Amino acid sequence: AMATTFPAIGQAGTRNDGRRLGLALLVIATAQLMVVLDATIVIVAQPHIQAALGFSGTGLEWVTNAYALTFGGLLLLGGRAGDLLGRRRMFVAGLLLFSAASLAGGLATSQAWLLAARAVQGAGGAIVAPTALALIATTFPEGPPRNRAMGVYAGMSGAGGAVGLIAGGLLVSYASWRWVLFVNVPIGVAAALAALIVLPAAARRPGRLDLPGALTGTVGLAALVYGLSNAATSPDGTSHWGDGKVVAALTAGAVLLAAFAVIETRSRHALLPVRLLGSRDRLGANLIMLGVGTALFGVFFFVNLFAQDVWGYSALRTGLSFLPLTGALLVASFAAAALVPRIGARPLLLAGGAASAGGMYWLSLVTEHSSYAGGLLGPGLVIGVGLGLLFVPLPLVAMAGVHEADSGAAASLLNAGRQVGGSIGLAVLGTVAWTVVANSARAAGTAQGAAHAAAYQHALTAGFDRAFLVSATLAALVLLVAVTVIRVRRADLAGG
């Protein structure tokens, strides 16, 4: 299909084709940034949303969770739909759905309205994210052009979370919380129109959507994300892991995903063809992405809380404090894209895992008395470099050698790993952090006035530090998987 779309690339690659590929990459990267950014852009605006629509604390979490739930649940379906119905067609449809939901959310006057809009946004994102990665794998020829494109894609994927916090801070400070949703509308519509012009049209493929697999996979993933998002211990130290609805959701998730696995091994039109998991490297890349998602989400979430609650930063200043991490991540992504053909993926995964673990351990040493330079800036730069080195080789390894017809399924698997990882991260790190906070606060006990405030700041710091330490441990496990599982050779990624 590639040869028919861009006839000249195989030989010399005329300047015209090069420009068209550049525009294609711009469209894909913009869409990816928008989808990733939306997971965090709302976090900064949450107090304002709460005040405007009267959410309770637990209800407020659903502004983030409603998006995460449909996004994570529908990813496998979104990726397969692109494979079967044409990637450009689904990419454009996903962008338009996402934009329409953003417009509706920005106009929301009630809680249910906003949550419904966020859920539909997640569904749009679930179509866009895997299709964006599949479009890179099928539009850019293997070798340097694809490596560069993956570098940009990975930079957007990695930086999106931090960019969301910065953009959220700016929009909330200078416009209103509604603009964190409205901002997607012009960008999404422009990207959809541009996609129709610059992306190659793909034919539909014969094949049916595997409905039993879609149902069990979607509901199973959603139940897992739901259970995890409700499991985290509350800030007052109350554990929810034993709650009826959490146990029921996690059990249902496990049973449905087991059923999904059985259906996939037998289905002729599998949503997730089992042959994709036959490769040890692809399995390793997906495991690493799960670990990275788990560690990363928790760090973003708790650094944001730490800066605002312990250091008293404004939303905007908190967002801006993530800028160095974002810059380091982008620089490392471009460096990694240039290094992949020279040294291969494995050394980058090892260096990225080690830097991430080291940076997160350094972050766990922050105290309420630390300065920004000593407490957040240094660790942020190291974590940024580590993530940049991880985010580029992962999609390359996960997509290497995938048959074109399966590229959407392979892409959705990688995205699902990251999304489910994020949910696990918030549940597990949230439990660790708030349990430690509650215990430290109880130990401080009877202090009053200023002493009480200081004791609570100390308790918060102790809890967040423990969460960062768990993140560092997860990053060390990522490094272990990279050492023991990944065997991909440089030649496997160089391609023709």
Side-chain angles (χ1 to χ4, degrees):
M2 214 178 299
T4 54
T5 324
F6 295 117
I9 281 179
Q11 298 89 44
T14 61
R15 189 175 308 141
N16 195 20
D17 278 329
R19 194 167 68 234
R20 181 158 168 190
L21 280 179
L23 289 170
L25 180 58
L26 182 66
V27 170
I28 293 169
T30 303
Q32 178 65 13
L33 177 66
M34 192 169 76
V35 171
V36 175
L37 173 151
D38 243 73
T40 56
I41 194 168
V42 173
I43 290 177
V44 182
Q46 277 185 345
H48 300 264
I49 294 173
Q50 187 168 17
L53 301 180
F55 276 96
S56 67
T58 46
L60 191 62
E61 290 166 15
W62 281 100
V63 180
T64 308
N65 289 345
Y67 182 76
L69 203 63
T70 51
F71 187 71
L74 294 167
L75 272 167
L76 294 171
L77 193 57
R80 204 57 178 156
D83 286 341
L84 294 175
L85 302 172
R87 289 186 195 100
R88 184 178 77 176
R89 187 180 290 123
M90 292 312 291
F91 182 72
V92 169
L95 279 171
L96 292 175
L97 183 65
F98 190 87
S99 304
S102 301
L103 179 62
L107 297 169
T109 52
S110 71
Q111 297 181 16
W113 180 350
L114 180 62
L115 295 181
R118 287 289 286 166
V120 177
Q121 255 191 325
I127 300 171
V128 173
T131 325
L133 180 53
L135 278 165
I136 286 185
T138 55
T139 307
F140 293 83
E142 261 190 319
R146 188 178 304 177
N147 293 345
R148 275 197 300 274
M150 283 292 186
V152 174
Y153 170 88
M156 293 303 155
S157 303
V163 172
L165 292 172
I166 297 164
L170 283 167
L171 288 165
V172 169
S173 304
Y174 297 113
S176 100
W177 67 266
R178 295 180 181 278
W179 277 95
V180 302
L181 294 159
F182 286 150
V183 70
N184 294 321
V185 180
I187 303 173
V189 172
L193 291 174
L196 290 171
I197 301 165
V198 301
L199 292 178
R204 290 168 185 250
R205 287 182 182 282
R208 291 200 308 277
L209 265 183
D210 155 32
L211 286 176
L215 200 66
T216 49
T218 298
V219 182
L221 274 174
L224 185 63
V225 173
Y226 174 82
L228 287 166
S229 39
N230 281 296
T233 300
S234 326
D236 61 2
T238 320
S239 171
H240 298 291
W241 286 93
D243 286 7
K245 65 178 181 185
V246 170
V247 174
L250 292 177
T251 310
V255 169
L256 285 164
L257 289 174
F260 174 72
V262 172
I263 291 168
E264 295 310 281
T265 51
R266 308 197 166 167
S267 166
R268 279 189 43 228
H269 302 282
L271 196 61
L272 184 66
V274 179
R275 56 182 175 270
L276 284 179
L277 294 175
S279 145
R280 142 182 203 160
D281 290 314
R282 193 168 305 121
L283 195 60
N286 281 295
L287 275 174
I288 291 174
M289 189 53 108
L290 184 73
V292 171
T294 306
L296 176 69
F297 240 73
V299 166
F300 271 8
F301 188 78
F302 286 109
V303 168
N304 180 43
L305 282 181
F306 177 80
Q308 294 196 43
D309 296 352
V310 178
W311 283 354
Y313 280 19
S314 67
L316 180 56
R317 191 175 174 195
T318 303
L320 292 173
S321 66
F322 280 98
L323 264 178
L325 184 154
T326 314
L329 194 152
L330 288 171
V331 170
S333 297
F334 292 124
L339 286 169
V340 161
R342 297 204 180 93
I343 62 174
R346 198 163 177 262
L348 291 173
L349 290 172
L350 299 181
S356 302
M360 286 171 189
Y361 175 70
W362 186 3
L363 187 61
S364 75
L365 306 176
V366 72
T367 72
E368 63 270 43
H369 309 299
S370 301
S371 65
Y372 170 70
L376 286 186
L377 179 63
L381 289 171
V382 178
I383 292 170
V385 168
L387 292 173
L389 295 179
L390 285 170
F391 272 136
V392 174
L394 285 177
L396 282 168
V397 175
M399 305 297 284
V402 172
H403 196 272
E404 205 233 339
D406 291 337
S407 59
S412 60
L413 188 63
L414 192 69
N415 273 293
R418 178 190 170 139
Q419 193 58 33
V420 170
S423 305
I424 297 172
L426 284 180
V428 173
L429 298 177
T431 294
V432 169
W434 297 125
T435 306
V436 173
V437 169
N439 292 344
S440 311
R442 218 170 290 134
T446 54
Q448 291 301 317
H452 175 74
Y456 189 64
Q457 302 270 312
H458 184 73
L460 277 179
T461 306
F464 295 168
D465 281 350
R466 188 68 56 84
F468 297 143
L469 195 58
V470 175
S471 283
T473 314
L474 287 165
L477 286 175
V478 159
L479 182 59
L480 188 66
V481 172
V483 170
T484 54
V485 181
I486 301 286
R487 291 284 174 269
V488 67
R489 297 190 311 279
R490 206 172 74 202
D492 300 335
L493 298 181

